[in-house]
Amino acid sequence: LGKGKNRKAHWAVRASEMSKRTFNPIRAIVDSMKVEPNHQKPLISLSIGDPTVFGNLPPDDEVIQAMKEALDSGQYNGYAPSVGKSWEMLSMYAAPILLLLQKSNMPTLLGILYTGYLSCREVVAGYYTCPEAPLEAQDVILTSGCSQAIELALAVLANPGQNILVPRPGFSLYKTLAQSLGIEVKFYNLLPEKSWEIDLKQMESLVDDKTACLIVNNPSNPCGSVFSKSHLQKILAVASRQCVPILADEIYADMVFEDCKYESLAKLSTNVPILSCGGLAKRWLVPGWRMGWILIHDRREIFGKEIRDGLLRLSQRILGPCTVVQGALSRILRQTSPEFYHNTLSFLKSNADLCYDALSTVCGLQPVRPSGAMYLMVGIQMEHFPEFENDVEFTERLIAEQSVFCLPATCFEYPNFFRVVITVPEEMMVEACRRIQQFCERHYEGAEGSQDLECDK
Amino acid sequence: LGKGKNRKAHWAVRASEMSKRTFNPIRAIVDSMKVEPNHQKPLISLSIGDPTVFGNLPPDDEVIQAMKEALDSGQYNGYAPSVGKSWEMLSMYAAPILLLLQKSNMPTLLGILYTGYLSCREVVAGYYTCPEAPLEAQDVILTSGCSQAIELALAVLANPGQNILVPRPGFSLYKTLAQSLGIEVKFYNLLPEKSWEIDLKQMESLVDDKTACLIVNNPSNPCGSVFSKSHLQKILAVASRQCVPILADEIYADMVFEDCKYESLAKLSTNVPILSCGGLAKRWLVPGWRMGWILIHDRREIFGKEIRDGLLRLSQRILGPCTVVQGALSRILRQTSPEFYHNTLSFLKSNADLCYDALSTVCGLQPVRPSGAMYLMVGIQMEHFPEFENDVEFTERLIAEQSVFCLPATCFEYPNFFRVVITVPEEMMVEACRRIQQFCERHYEGAEGSQDLECDK
Ligand SMILES: Cc1ncc(COP(=O)(O)O)c(C=O)c1O
Ligand SMILES: Cc1ncc(COP(=O)(O)O)c(C=O)c1O
């Protein structure tokens, strides 16, 4: 017998290289923060990009009703192809359409799934289409959250050994997924002094023959920044010049404060092919529901059939998002009340202002004003906090003394900053800022030998 | 600038090798079946492993109510770690527990997520635990359907270049996923004359130094077979002798007809480490909801921390299944009425008998009696159908003439059989069998030169 012949069998089950490479940089950092909050003070966690944690931002009632309606219909319990245009889908994974099919004498079986859950892809296409960047159902791939959208987009665009360009600071999942897939990550810089615009020159200098795509995250986690139209155009110019397709992480699309305008990259692109990743998680405040999508923008047919087919194939591995949410999607996108969006954003804006204003007055801190999303980055003038070696130590001690937990921006490859999540209830935001101030006052030291021994704030 | 220096940039976006390798064998086969159903007869599709298609097998009302309750609670909209024992999860993806945390002064932040959605993992562990194969919450990983459970199990156990042993006939996803991951597939045979038991000798002969795991699917798709306790023990003996861990695809666990007993592999294993993959799809009749799990059975600590950690890391890439379903899971597992399970199975058994009995009388066909799941395999004595080259042509013509669509078992790497799905309404089952009989009568030819020019059935 094969194995018997070659060796004495013994148990040696090892985890695959891929699973070892699948590593979340935040883990090492946060795991090393072995510290307890101050028992005198209740913990305030400003660390989690989940707007639902505090109960102050429930989803729109319409959204809940849409789910119940989908459940009651009995139409959304079966397999729904996230894509479907062939017999294969028909044969492997069904759609309610088959019932119909049996009653009617359809001329052909081919392509019928275009009328099944295709309705759901159609709804997304209809929601995001615009004359400059038209979308049809076939341009939409439904995924299990924006995370899977990014995973599939990376998996189709890049081979192991190729590289991708990723923002710094940036969302850690890009690196986790790329490493998992054996793709190299090159970081381009965002400039805090320019409201986190991209250092375009430096970004362009990173492009080489092995560059498979450029990830642009707008609005940004962790920065809360929103790119202007002209900056987006400049990004597109680089991509166009270098012939690099863009993976646009637009999960915070339209989540911008009133004084600011959100533009999708695809709308501004004349030739650069774009995979735009999005989902329900943030704007509709239901991250746990795991509904995401990829919008394929390819007006010059640069992606062509190959990339589309690749996405279809990859998306079949786990068969798309929960069908109940798919069933509810039309009503969610079409009927969520304008007030809901408005209220969410004005709450976020008010918290952002509150936090920015409060931390601006704190010696040693340099918050950067956000324009959207749910975050705010705060620079730490480390030279004024000689007790702490870095942002990790700073935030660690902030927990220990003040029971306020912010993620050190080392988690986003950006030392000497920390990130504040602004979805917490207002009183909590106020109290957190007060404690951060107290903490900084206690530890601030004027730089020796310089004039500003005292902070002049 | 990098690229500029080396070459004139031009657009050349190619789909990755991985996306090209991600190939569903059924596709090529079914896509090639360019045929239209007979317009005179409404189509009956017996091709889809989705029990919801015909509306005759709705989920238990308790299951729907559980979902509504989860929605109404407002507690299951946020990120829920499919695993969670570290600060990382706390910091990246939240759980309602954080609210609690803020009110209480917990002594430490470490490990708190064990009390969050951990409840959901606990529920699954509690449901499947038994004295012989005890399970705790930490032995459960929640996934997006059983498909993702299989994907993660393969991804953690095998490196590219290694091989896995897969049943033939068998569910096509194993090969699709393995190829996608660069893992070689070796097929072991199931024996129709022995109710689809494994050819153990042949299976064992396939094992070599590169064998990463053995996939056992029980009850089986496409066979509807259920292994006896003693056969399972023999499979375990091979795995133990060869030191090969088992990936048990037990998505049809407990879906066996009354005269038959289902045993899990883990319950019978004394030393072989097992990843058991399951989910809600089949037994609870909600495949679209995408709720699956991996049960880690490792009493000898052969998987050890390494495999567990690998699974945790991999499962974080897309953040687990829809939280509404997670929230409903406890009630689903605990409160689904016994009648529901009973009714489903007696319906399936009755359809299985009906189909088996009807096709047994048809000249040229050899159905194999199933004992569980939702399928039945039918052998085609091709020598009696000289008009058709193979099962693909046979089923193609069956559509064209009789508007009955069964998957040719070439889709399962097993030519000269076809698979019948037995979840269709009874009248449809009857009518389909009648048409299949008609079809066979028309095309049957006694073997030349043999005595049985006439079928003696
Ligand atoms: C920038 C960014 N992209 C993607 C995601 C993942 O979104 P989803 O929860 O839909 O997977 C997040 C979540 O925090 C994010 O901040
Ligand atoms: C044997 C087998 N395993 C796994 C699956 C996939 O299950 P899920 O829908 O939960 O991904 C199926 C679905 O048909 C199956 O037949």
Side-chain angles (χ1 to χ4, degrees):
Chain A
L1 303 178
K3 209 164 189 172
K5 268 181 228 149
N6 300 329
R7 63 177 183 102
K8 198 174 166 312
H10 63 277
W11 285 108
V13 181
R14 310 300 307 270
S16 68
E17 296 307 314
M18 187 212 206
S19 73
K20 287 179 189 157
R21 279 197 315 263
T22 306
F23 179 78
N24 190 321
I26 298 188
R27 182 164 197 159
I29 297 161
V30 178
D31 271 358
S32 73
M33 295 170 75
K34 294 262 151 56
V35 69
E36 293 190 6
N38 179 345
H39 293 199
Q40 250 69 68
K41 306 190 179 200
L43 182 78
I44 300 178
S45 178
L46 306 178
S47 66
I48 301 144
D50 182 340
T52 73
V53 176
F54 303 97
N56 57 322
L57 290 172
D60 195 26
D61 189 50
E62 194 61 41
V63 169
I64 302 297
Q65 295 313 322
M67 288 286 279
K68 290 187 180 173
E69 189 180 311
L71 282 166
D72 282 331
S73 77
Q75 293 301 298
Y76 299 100
N77 301 324
Y79 291 115
S82 56
V83 297
K85 61 173 178 185
S86 76
W87 272 67
E88 175 199 8
M89 301 309 305
L90 173 64
S91 56
M92 288 194 64
Y93 317 117
I97 193 67
L98 283 179
L99 241 183
L100 244 178
L101 190 72
Q102 273 163 264
K103 288 175 188 155
S104 70
N105 287 333
M106 295 212 28
T108 171
L109 289 172
L110 282 157
I112 59 152
L113 290 180
Y114 272 125
T115 54
Y117 283 75
L118 191 76
S119 64
C120 182
R121 296 164 71 199
E122 232 154 44
V123 160
V124 176
Y127 189 77
Y128 286 108
T129 195
C130 65
E132 301 88 344
L135 286 170
E136 292 175 21
Q138 65 179 29
D139 304 318
V140 176
I141 297 212
L142 300 177
T143 59
S144 185
C146 185
S147 298
Q148 200 205 6
I150 298 168
E151 183 187 42
L152 296 187
L154 285 179
V156 81
L157 288 176
N159 280 313
Q162 289 192 281
N163 66 65
I164 59 171
L165 309 190
V166 166
R168 174 172 57 199
F171 185 47
S172 61
L173 186 69
Y174 310 138
K175 185 172 164 184
T176 302
L177 290 175
Q179 285 181 338
S180 183
L181 294 165
I183 301 162
E184 194 201 335
V185 168
K186 292 185 169 195
F187 292 102
Y188 64 82
N189 296 325
L190 304 182
L191 304 169
E193 66 277 16
K194 291 183 130 189
S195 301
W196 301 109
E197 282 192 345
I198 297 173
D199 182 342
L200 294 165
K201 259 219 173 107
Q202 183 257 350
M203 180 177 83
E204 190 160 5
S205 78
L206 298 175
V207 178
D208 65 23
D209 276 4
K210 294 202 154 77
T211 303
C213 83
L214 161 64
I215 297 187
V216 178
N217 173 218
N218 179 54
S220 157
N221 175 8
C223 303
S225 51
V226 179
F227 293 147
S228 67
K229 185 167 170 178
S230 84
H231 190 62
L232 290 169
Q233 282 164 332
K234 284 177 196 149
I235 297 168
L236 286 165
V238 174
S240 178
R241 194 155 55 231
Q242 298 293 339
C243 296
V244 176
I246 293 181
L247 191 171
D249 181 349
E250 300 180 329
I251 184 72
Y252 298 98
D254 295 311
M255 290 190 75
V256 300
F257 306 151
E258 58 214 353
D259 41 0
C260 184
K261 186 163 162 29
Y262 166 77
E263 302 262 11
S264 74
L265 263 171
K267 192 173 161 188
L268 303 173
S269 170
T270 53
N271 62 332
V272 178
I274 295 173
L275 297 180
S276 167
C277 299
L280 289 185
K282 309 294 179 172
R283 187 151 180 248
W284 288 270
L285 302 174
V286 289
W289 295 10
R290 316 309 301 131
M291 171 56 88
W293 47 72
I294 300 174
L295 312 179
I296 307 172
H297 291 281
D298 185 32
R299 267 155 302 138
R300 295 281 175 97
E301 303 223 358
I302 292 165
F303 283 149
K305 194 166 147 27
E306 205 176 300
I307 297 290
R308 277 173 200 274
D309 279 0
L311 285 171
L312 300 194
R313 278 196 297 267
L314 290 172
S315 75
Q316 286 165 35
R317 300 201 320 191
I318 69 164
L319 307 185
C322 178
T323 44
V324 183
V325 188
Q326 287 192 53
L329 196 59
S330 168
R331 188 163 163 192
I332 291 174
L333 295 186
R334 291 176 182 161
Q335 315 268 342
T336 297
S337 72
E339 292 77 45
F340 171 79
Y341 301 124
H342 177 81
N343 292 345
T344 308
L345 283 170
S346 56
F347 170 81
L348 290 174
K349 162 101 173 108
S350 141
N351 254 2
D353 287 347
L354 197 155
C355 182
Y356 177 83
D357 292 346
L359 298 187
S360 291
T361 68
V362 175
C363 293
L365 295 188
Q366 289 189 307
V368 183
R369 194 189 281 281
S371 311
M374 327 183 311
Y375 315 98
L376 174 153
M377 285 275 275
V378 183
I380 312 166
Q381 296 173 313
M382 293 309 306
E383 69 277 18
H384 288 296
F385 299 99
E387 279 177 78
F388 311 128
E389 204 163 316
N390 52 37
D391 55 320
V392 178
E393 252 186 67
F394 181 96
T395 51
E396 195 172 54
R397 289 291 294 280
L398 182 59
I399 299 170
E401 293 180 20
Q402 298 287 348
S403 295
V404 170
F405 180 26
C406 297
L407 274 195
T410 290
C411 294
F412 309 103
E413 307 275 343
Y414 209 74
N416 301 340
F417 274 73
F418 63 88
R419 187 191 73 171
V420 174
V421 167
I422 57 173
T423 53
V424 299
E426 184 177 313
E427 326 77 74
M428 222 179 255
M429 189 89 260
V430 173
E431 169 67 11
C433 290
R434 192 158 35 221
R435 293 197 207 162
I436 293 171
Q437 171 156 26
Q438 217 171 64
F439 176 80
C440 289
E441 277 168 7
R442 178 153 169 218
H443 297 285
Y444 182 89
E445 289 185 21
E448 264 178 77
S450 92
Q451 281 102 314
D452 57 350
L453 271 170
E454 286 297 299
C455 166
D456 57 4
K457 280 188 178 171
Chain B
L1 300 179
K3 210 165 192 173
K5 268 181 229 150
N6 300 327
R7 64 176 182 103
K8 198 173 166 312
H10 62 277
W11 284 108
V13 181
R14 308 301 306 271
S16 68
E17 295 307 314
M18 187 210 205
S19 72
K20 287 179 189 158
R21 279 197 315 265
T22 305
F23 179 79
N24 190 321
I26 299 187
R27 182 164 197 160
I29 298 162
V30 178
D31 271 358
S32 73
M33 295 169 76
K34 295 261 151 55
V35 68
E36 293 189 7
N38 178 345
H39 292 201
Q40 250 68 67
K41 307 190 179 200
L43 182 78
I44 300 179
S45 178
L46 305 177
S47 66
I48 303 146
D50 181 340
T52 72
V53 176
F54 304 96
N56 57 323
L57 290 172
D60 195 26
D61 188 52
E62 195 62 39
V63 169
I64 301 298
Q65 294 313 320
M67 288 285 281
K68 290 188 179 173
E69 188 180 312
L71 282 166
D72 282 332
S73 77
Q75 293 300 298
Y76 300 101
N77 301 324
Y79 290 116
S82 59
V83 299
K85 61 175 178 183
S86 76
W87 273 68
E88 175 199 8
M89 300 310 304
L90 172 64
S91 53
M92 290 194 62
Y93 318 117
I97 192 67
L98 283 179
L99 239 184
L100 246 177
L101 189 74
Q102 271 162 267
K103 288 173 188 155
S104 70
N105 286 334
M106 295 211 30
T108 171
L109 290 173
L110 282 156
I112 58 153
L113 290 180
Y114 270 125
T115 53
Y117 282 75
L118 192 76
S119 63
C120 182
R121 297 166 69 199
E122 232 155 43
V123 160
V124 176
Y127 188 78
Y128 286 108
T129 195
C130 65
E132 301 88 343
L135 287 170
E136 293 174 21
Q138 65 179 28
D139 304 317
V140 176
I141 298 212
L142 300 177
T143 58
S144 186
C146 184
S147 298
Q148 200 204 6
I150 297 168
E151 182 188 42
L152 296 187
L154 285 180
V156 81
L157 288 176
N159 280 312
Q162 289 192 282
N163 65 65
I164 59 171
L165 309 190
V166 166
R168 174 171 58 198
F171 184 47
S172 61
L173 186 69
Y174 310 139
K175 185 174 164 183
T176 303
L177 290 174
Q179 285 181 338
S180 183
L181 294 164
I183 300 162
E184 193 200 336
V185 169
K186 292 184 170 196
F187 292 102
Y188 64 82
N189 296 324
L190 305 182
L191 304 169
E193 65 278 15
K194 290 182 131 186
S195 301
W196 301 109
E197 281 192 347
I198 297 173
D199 182 342
L200 293 165
K201 259 218 170 108
Q202 184 256 350
M203 179 176 84
E204 189 160 6
S205 77
L206 298 175
V207 178
D208 65 23
D209 276 4
K210 293 202 153 76
T211 303
C213 82
L214 162 62
I215 298 188
V216 178
N217 173 217
N218 179 53
S220 157
N221 176 7
C223 303
S225 52
V226 180
F227 292 147
S228 68
K229 185 167 168 176
S230 84
H231 190 60
L232 290 168
Q233 281 165 331
K234 285 178 194 147
I235 297 168
L236 286 164
V238 174
S240 177
R241 195 156 54 231
Q242 297 293 340
C243 296
V244 176
I246 292 180
L247 189 172
D249 180 348
E250 300 181 329
I251 184 71
Y252 299 98
D254 296 312
M255 289 189 75
V256 300
F257 306 152
E258 59 214 350
D259 42 1
C260 183
K261 187 164 162 23
Y262 167 77
E263 303 263 10
S264 74
L265 263 171
K267 191 173 162 187
L268 302 173
S269 171
T270 55
N271 63 333
V272 179
I274 295 172
L275 297 180
S276 168
C277 299
L280 289 186
K282 309 293 179 172
R283 188 151 180 248
W284 288 270
L285 303 175
V286 288
W289 294 9
R290 316 308 303 130
M291 170 55 88
W293 46 72
I294 300 174
L295 311 179
I296 307 172
H297 291 282
D298 186 31
R299 266 154 304 135
R300 294 283 175 94
E301 303 222 358
I302 291 165
F303 284 148
K305 194 165 147 27
E306 204 175 299
I307 297 291
R308 277 172 201 276
D309 279 0
L311 286 171
L312 300 195
R313 277 196 297 268
L314 290 173
S315 75
Q316 286 166 34
R317 300 202 317 191
I318 69 163
L319 305 186
C322 177
T323 43
V324 182
V325 188
Q326 286 192 52
L329 197 60
S330 169
R331 188 163 163 194
I332 291 174
L333 295 186
R334 290 176 182 160
Q335 316 268 340
T336 298
S337 72
E339 293 76 45
F340 171 80
Y341 300 124
H342 177 81
N343 293 345
T344 308
L345 284 169
S346 55
F347 171 81
L348 290 174
K349 162 101 173 107
S350 142
N351 254 2
D353 287 347
L354 196 157
C355 182
Y356 177 82
D357 292 344
L359 298 188
S360 291
T361 68
V362 175
C363 292
L365 295 188
Q366 288 188 309
V368 183
R369 193 188 280 283
S371 311
M374 327 184 309
Y375 314 98
L376 174 154
M377 285 275 274
V378 182
I380 312 167
Q381 295 173 313
M382 293 308 308
E383 68 276 18
H384 290 295
F385 299 98
E387 279 175 80
F388 311 127
E389 205 164 314
N390 51 37
D391 55 320
V392 179
E393 252 186 67
F394 181 95
T395 51
E396 196 171 53
R397 290 289 294 280
L398 182 58
I399 299 170
E401 295 180 19
Q402 297 288 347
S403 296
V404 170
F405 180 24
C406 298
L407 273 195
T410 290
C411 294
F412 309 104
E413 309 275 341
Y414 208 75
N416 301 340
F417 274 74
F418 63 89
R419 187 190 74 170
V420 174
V421 167
I422 58 173
T423 52
V424 298
E426 185 176 312
E427 326 77 75
M428 223 178 255
M429 189 88 261
V430 172
E431 169 67 9
C433 290
R434 192 158 35 221
R435 293 197 208 163
I436 293 172
Q437 173 157 25
Q438 218 173 62
F439 177 80
C440 289
E441 276 167 7
R442 177 155 171 218
H443 298 285
Y444 181 89
E445 290 185 21
E448 267 177 76
S450 91
Q451 284 100 315
D452 57 351
L453 271 171
E454 285 299 298
C455 164
D456 56 4
K457 279 187 178 172

